[in-house]
Amino acid sequence: DTGVSQNPRHKITKRGQNVTFRCDPISEHNRLYWYRQTLGQGPEFLTYFQNEAQLEKSRLLSDRFSAERPKGSFSTLEIQRTEQGDSAMYLCASSLDRHPVEQFFGPGTRLTVL
Amino acid sequence: ILNVEQSPQSLHVQEGDSTNFTCSFPSSNFYALHWYRWETAKSPEALFVMTLNGDEKKKGRISATLNTKEGYSYLYIKGSQPEDSATYLCAFGTGKSTFGDGTTLTVKP
């Protein structure tokens, strides 16, 4: 399967714990995006990378959130000291920079913070 | 702050019914409007990318229109089937898209 993959698909954690999610984009895509979706709402933009450079971060991305894309391929999103309000679906998408309108999404990681 | 609104929030139809949803978006600084279908436990799937005022696109029984001057897009499904049951999302912009909250369609056999 050459689509966008995300791991894990589901994560249950206790409040205060740290979690890390991984996204593997389509191999030739140099742009990678993270979104968060909560129940009943559409996905909200969190951050995006062009190659290894993080070019923009939403104000939704508090200091407890950090994202990396060290080699310009896969990306990780870490949430430190999780709170119940962090419970959401975290979606990753990728695109080519010359075709930024065409984003391809992964299946998401569902985070539940108890 | 960009505001993208979708209506209705949910829709229940019988198999064979035709249906349509609305996406409203800012009419200024338009670049692109996307429609996605998102089935439970799957990745959001791109249906259409629309960039020009007056665009009409079709994919099987699903079609979409775009009016950038007044800031709306319609998605039509002709002869709905149970497999069309999903959440339909529209997104405004490119790259860091702004999404609406979606219309959840349930098609009953």
Side-chain angles (χ1 to χ4, degrees):
Chain A
D1 187 350
T2 57
V4 179
S5 62
Q6 293 187 245
N7 288 290
R9 294 290 304 275
H10 303 273
K11 179 71 177 177
I12 300 173
T13 191
K14 292 183 179 178
R15 192 173 49 189
Q17 298 293 306
N18 299 343
V19 294
T20 301
F21 313 139
R22 176 176 169 131
C23 171
D24 287 88
I26 293 171
S27 58
E28 62 268 26
H29 284 185
N30 47 10
R31 285 198 179 183
L32 187 148
Y33 310 85
W34 285 99
Y35 292 87
R36 179 173 68 189
Q37 187 254 345
T38 53
L39 198 61
Q41 297 191 331
E44 295 174 295
F45 169 78
L46 293 178
T47 187
Y48 91 95
F49 293 83
Q50 178 145 331
N51 300 313
E52 64 274 12
Q54 188 173 19
L55 295 189
E56 190 163 346
K57 293 194 293 186
S58 162
R59 66 185 184 280
L60 294 174
L61 215 64
S62 76
D63 291 344
R64 296 184 297 105
F65 288 69
S66 61
E68 294 183 342
R69 194 182 183 200
K71 296 182 181 178
S73 56
F74 72 91
S75 175
T76 57
L77 178 68
E78 181 183 16
I79 309 174
Q80 296 182 326
R81 305 181 303 282
T82 52
E83 301 173 357
Q84 287 185 325
D86 297 330
S87 295
M89 174 75 83
Y90 290 84
L91 289 164
C92 174
S94 68
S95 72
L96 291 167
D97 60 358
R98 64 179 183 273
H99 295 297
V101 294
E102 294 185 271
Q103 289 187 59
F104 295 82
F105 280 84
T109 295
R110 168 77 64 191
L111 173 67
T112 302
V113 182
L114 301 176
Chain B
I1 297 176
L2 298 175
N3 203 27
V4 178
E5 296 184 351
Q6 291 188 247
S7 62
Q9 186 176 16
S10 64
L11 202 52
H12 292 76
V13 302
Q14 290 294 134
E15 182 175 355
D17 288 349
S18 293
T19 186
N20 65 85
F21 325 134
T22 304
C23 174
S24 302
F25 52 85
S27 55
S28 58
N29 298 317
F30 180 83
Y31 189 86
L33 191 283
H34 313 247
W35 282 100
Y36 293 90
R37 175 169 59 202
W38 195 2
E39 296 178 68
T40 304
K42 294 187 178 180
S43 307
E45 173 199 357
L47 291 174
F48 304 112
V49 178
M50 309 181 81
T51 56
L52 297 175
N53 184 43
D55 253 355
E56 290 189 27
K57 296 207 172 181
K58 189 174 180 181
K59 188 176 184 178
R61 294 178 291 99
I62 304 176
S63 60
T65 61
L66 178 68
N67 183 323
T68 61
K69 293 183 179 180
E70 295 182 36
Y72 65 84
S73 176
Y74 294 137
L75 186 78
Y76 301 91
I77 302 179
K78 185 178 178 182
S80 302
Q81 299 296 307
E83 58 264 31
D84 296 328
S85 297
T87 295
Y88 291 82
L89 292 165
C90 71
F92 175 81
T94 182
K96 51 177 189 119
S97 301
T98 301
F99 282 81
D101 290 340
T103 293
T104 299
L105 174 66
T106 304
V107 182
K108 300 176 185 177

